[in-house]
Amino acid sequence: MKFDIGDKVKFIDQEGQGTVTRIINTNTVGVTTDGFELPFSITDLIKAGKPSSPAERLFYEGKGSYDLPGKDDAGKGSLGKTEPARTDGDLEERLPDEPATATDEEDARISPLRRSFGGKNPQSEGVYLAIVPSDQQFMLRGPMELFVVNYTPHTLLYNLATRGTDSFYGIDFASVPPYSKISVECIERDDLGLWAEGVLQGLFFQDESRQWPLPFSKDYKLRVNHVGRPENYVFPVFMQQKTLLVPMLDLAAHGKNESLPLHSGKGATESGTTGKPASNIVVDSKNPLQPYMIQKDVAEVDLHVEKLLKTRLEMKNAEEKDYLSRQLDVFETCLNQAIGQRLSRIIFIHGVGEGILKAEMEKKLKNYENLHFMAASTLKYGRGAIEVFIG
């Protein structure tokens, strides 16, 4: 549960209430009651008043004695103070059963993502953590906002926890609609170390599907010096802001490897019949992109020289410029083929090295219209690949 300064809170294991007057750390707040401020774990507190999420509403319903007098203390309220007797109608009015206001706080944290670029859906569908500097011009100063990004067609139910020296600390849990993001926390630069390591767990909900994605649990680790380098920030289409993007789950890969098929058993296929496994990739020996196809409309091309040479002697006497020329020829050929075949995107693995190949590729990409390119998933490729979206 998340608390802010000024929140009215009740104590779970004792009578009384107070006001949050200080945020000590992600798991402890200072609560002032009767003129004294004392530290309390957030797990020992509950917000006073109406709950702000479905989970909190369930908690209130399970702790009805906090709002209703018990059998042994009739005439006393939740704080033990004598109150006038109430009728059944009065009691019903006190129950937190008004959904119109129960989710206002959670809804205010959620905002939609931009889904297309040039008439296509260019971004890899998946789940991300996103760190967005509040000052987009001077990114290395001021607070940063942390988002959980659900760029999938499914509703995401997630649980986010940080990892400390001795314990995990639950930070946030909520549901995020398809193609939406939710604000988790505004982080001050000095507190970044508290968020450096953690885990994101989640499961997807959908109305109907022939394959059912399994729940996932992914660790993350942020390096403070990585956050402090402007070159590590990208401009994702769905965010429309300079963002440090941390990929947590690739939906296509997860659906392929971590899902329950409609029919199980030996020889079963996606259609529920026996025989060869189903495939969405059409084999075409005349298509030069065929060896690189990883999805129906997605290709992945490895431009490392050793991947392009058929034999060790093929370019034995070649110079460095000859290697580069060969790589760029393959790059342009595959890119033009991808455009001609109307693929949605193509990934080029260029490696790290001295950055010469990457710079030449970017120079050529800028000459194309209706293309958008950015660094590919760092989780999968590190810093050695470019993802090109075809509009």
Side-chain angles (χ1 to χ4, degrees):
M1 189 178 299
K2 181 180 176 182
F3 295 94
D4 295 315
I5 293 176
D7 285 348
K8 303 294 183 181
V9 294
K10 297 178 181 178
F11 309 116
I12 292 179
D13 297 323
Q14 65 187 62
E15 293 184 345
Q17 65 178 2
T19 303
V20 176
T21 52
R22 186 160 61 102
I23 306 298
I24 298 175
N25 54 45
T26 55
N27 305 290
T28 310
V29 296
V31 177
T32 296
T33 179
D34 296 330
F36 296 94
E37 183 187 86
L38 297 173
F40 284 87
S41 169
I42 61 174
T43 58
D44 296 330
L45 302 173
I46 187 170
K47 290 183 181 179
K50 293 180 179 178
S52 58
S53 71
E56 288 185 51
R57 186 168 66 253
L58 290 173
F59 186 84
Y60 266 82
E61 291 171 355
K63 297 284 186 178
S65 61
Y66 285 94
D67 283 318
L68 302 178
K71 294 180 181 180
D72 297 331
D73 55 351
K76 293 185 178 181
S78 60
L79 303 183
K81 297 178 181 179
T82 302
E83 297 181 357
R86 297 177 173 83
T87 64
D88 291 342
D90 293 329
L91 297 181
E92 290 176 359
E93 291 178 356
R94 298 191 64 203
L95 290 174
D97 57 356
E98 301 177 16
T101 58
T103 59
D104 284 350
E105 182 178 326
E106 183 172 312
D107 290 344
R109 297 196 292 147
I110 295 173
S111 55
L113 298 166
R114 181 176 176 180
R115 290 187 54 186
S116 63
F117 183 89
K120 290 264 187 173
N121 181 14
Q123 185 68 39
S124 298
E125 291 189 332
V127 178
Y128 303 82
L129 291 180
I131 298 177
V132 180
S134 298
D135 190 331
Q136 287 282 289
Q137 183 176 2
F138 301 100
M139 296 183 297
L140 303 186
R141 71 183 189 190
M144 302 167 291
E145 192 164 8
L146 175 66
F147 293 91
V148 172
V149 176
N150 176 27
Y151 196 70
T152 77
H154 316 307
T155 297
L156 170 69
L157 290 81
Y158 75 88
N159 171 39
L160 178 65
T162 57
R163 180 188 283 108
T165 304
D166 302 316
S167 302
F168 285 95
Y169 301 100
I171 297 299
D172 192 33
F173 61 96
S175 62
V176 191
Y179 301 108
S180 299
K181 65 179 184 292
I182 184 168
S183 175
V184 176
E185 186 70 61
C186 184
I187 306 173
E188 297 293 338
R189 298 275 170 170
D190 293 341
D191 295 333
L192 185 60
L194 299 175
W195 299 80
E197 294 186 49
V199 60
L200 181 71
Q201 299 172 313
L203 59 85
F204 295 110
F205 174 80
Q206 49 196 330
D207 292 328
E208 182 179 355
S209 176
R210 297 189 67 82
Q211 287 191 326
W212 200 259
L214 294 174
F216 68 89
S217 180
K218 299 289 184 180
D219 291 348
Y220 76 86
K221 186 173 183 178
L222 300 175
R223 293 184 177 89
V224 176
N225 60 349
H226 190 76
V227 177
R229 293 178 180 173
E231 63 270 20
N232 293 327
Y233 290 79
V234 295
F235 194 85
V237 174
F238 54 53
M239 295 291 290
Q240 291 296 291
Q241 291 178 295
K242 294 177 182 177
T243 304
L244 182 64
L245 206 58
V246 183
M248 300 300 294
L249 178 135
D250 184 292
L251 184 63
H254 186 76
K256 180 179 179 180
N257 302 319
E258 301 291 339
S259 63
L260 296 174
L262 182 62
H263 299 280
S264 60
K266 186 176 181 180
T269 66
E270 289 182 5
S271 60
T273 60
T274 58
K276 295 181 179 180
S279 173
N280 61 355
I281 299 177
V282 178
V283 177
D284 181 1
S285 59
K286 297 181 180 180
N287 178 10
L289 276 180
Q290 182 59 47
Y292 305 113
M293 299 300 294
I294 57 175
Q295 294 180 29
K296 184 178 180 180
D297 61 346
V298 180
E300 179 186 272
V301 182
D302 193 336
L303 295 176
H304 283 93
V305 173
E306 60 269 21
K307 297 291 185 180
L308 303 180
L309 304 182
K310 296 180 180 179
T311 69
R312 292 178 178 270
L313 299 177
E314 185 174 352
M315 296 182 72
K316 181 178 179 181
N317 299 319
E319 298 179 2
E320 190 70 27
K321 62 180 181 180
D322 297 319
Y323 290 132
L324 180 62
S325 177
R326 177 68 175 270
Q327 290 171 310
L328 290 175
D329 284 344
V330 174
F331 163 71
E332 288 191 281
T333 299
C334 291
L335 178 60
N336 291 330
Q337 286 289 328
I339 295 172
Q341 296 178 33
R342 301 183 64 81
L343 300 190
S344 65
R345 56 193 173 95
I346 181 169
I347 301 157
F348 293 99
I349 303 174
H350 53 73
V352 181
E354 297 179 0
I356 299 175
L357 176 59
K358 177 184 177 183
E360 291 296 323
M361 290 167 57
E362 291 180 343
K363 187 186 300 183
K364 292 181 180 294
L365 283 169
K366 291 176 182 178
N367 295 326
Y368 286 83
E369 296 182 357
N370 299 322
L371 290 185
H372 172 70
F373 64 93
M374 62 185 296
S377 168
T378 55
L379 186 65
K380 184 175 181 181
Y381 302 100
R383 298 177 62 184
I386 288 179
E387 194 163 10
V388 182
F389 304 105
I390 303 170

